[in-house]
Amino acid sequence: MELGLPASGVIRPGDVAVLPGRVRVNALKAALGADATTPILSVTDTAKVVTVQVRGGEADTVGSAGKVSVLLPDGSSTPGRVIDVARRATAGDDTSNSSGQTDQVTFSAAVAVTDPKKVRDWESAPVRVEFAAQTRKGVLAVPVGALLATREGGYALESEAGQLIPVTVGLVARGMVEISGSGVAEGTPVVTAS
C-alpha cells in the first residue's frame, strides 16, 4: 500500500502492523491525540460468514447438519456449511412453554458460504438459511393432506376408488410426507385435501 513515505529502507516501530494473515479493517478505534494504549483498529477475517440465531432445541440438529443452503436477497441461493455453533446461549423473553422451559433461548451459528463470488457484492444483507437435518432419496411422498388417521392408530391413503390403503409414514418436510406400504407405488393416484 502506498503511504507516501520516503524510500529510506528503514522501518521504525509503529510504522507497520504485522498480522498472521489477510484481514479486513472493521473499524478505526483511535483518534489523533488518544492515549498510546488505545487500540488503533479492529479487524475481521476476509471470508464472509452468515450468522444465524438458532432456537435452543435445534442447536444439536444445526450443528450436525453440516451442509446448508443460503437463500440470498436477490432470490438465488448458494451452498454453505456450518462452521460453528456457539456454546453460550442467549435468553430472550421470559415466555415459558407448558413444560416451564423458556422458548426464547437461542444459540448463534456461523455458516461459511461455499462460493464467495455469490456474496462478494454485499457488505451485509438479510439472508435465510435452510438446514437439512435429515434427507431421504428415492422415496415415495404425498402431500400431508392426503394422510388419514385410522381407528387402529396408523395412517392410510384413500384411493380414487374410495379404498383405504394402509401406509407407514417417514420424514415430513415442506408439506410432503414420506410413505411406504404394500399398496402404494409411484404414480398411484390418491385423494388429498384441497
Side-chain angles (χ1 to χ4, degrees):
M1 178 178 200
E2 179 60 49
L3 299 177
L5 300 174
S8 65
V10 176
I11 297 176
R12 290 186 283 273
D15 285 348
V16 295
V18 179
L19 299 170
R22 293 179 63 145
V23 295
R24 175 183 167 275
V25 174
N26 186 43
L28 293 173
K29 300 279 191 173
L32 282 174
D35 188 321
T37 60
T38 303
I40 298 171
L41 49 87
S42 65
V43 297
T44 60
D45 197 340
T46 57
K48 293 186 179 178
V49 176
V50 174
T51 303
V52 62
Q53 296 302 311
V54 180
R55 286 188 293 245
E58 299 172 343
D60 289 340
T61 303
V62 167
S64 63
K67 295 180 181 178
V68 300
S69 181
V70 179
L71 305 174
L72 303 172
D74 64 2
S76 67
S77 67
T78 187
R81 61 183 176 79
V82 178
I83 56 174
D84 186 45
V85 177
R87 300 201 184 279
R88 177 178 289 165
T90 304
D93 301 346
D94 288 333
T95 308
S96 296
N97 60 25
S98 58
S99 63
Q101 296 178 342
T102 302
D103 285 332
Q104 302 300 320
V105 173
T106 61
F107 291 85
S108 182
V111 174
V113 176
T114 306
D115 183 3
K117 291 177 187 171
K118 293 281 280 187
V119 295
R120 71 175 166 216
D121 293 336
W122 286 304
E123 183 67 25
S124 68
V127 299
R128 196 170 88 219
V129 179
E130 292 182 343
F131 297 90
Q134 293 182 358
T135 58
R136 300 274 200 279
K137 293 184 179 181
V139 300
L140 293 176
V142 296
V144 172
L147 288 178
L148 299 172
T150 64
R151 219 179 310 194
E152 297 80 24
Y155 293 96
L157 300 174
E158 183 180 352
S159 71
E160 285 184 322
Q163 297 175 320
L164 293 183
I165 307 166
V167 293
T168 303
V169 298
L171 188 64
V172 179
R174 295 184 179 184
M176 300 294 283
V177 59
E178 173 189 359
I179 58 159
S180 60
S182 59
V184 292
E186 184 176 353
T188 301
V190 296
V191 177
T192 185
S194 56

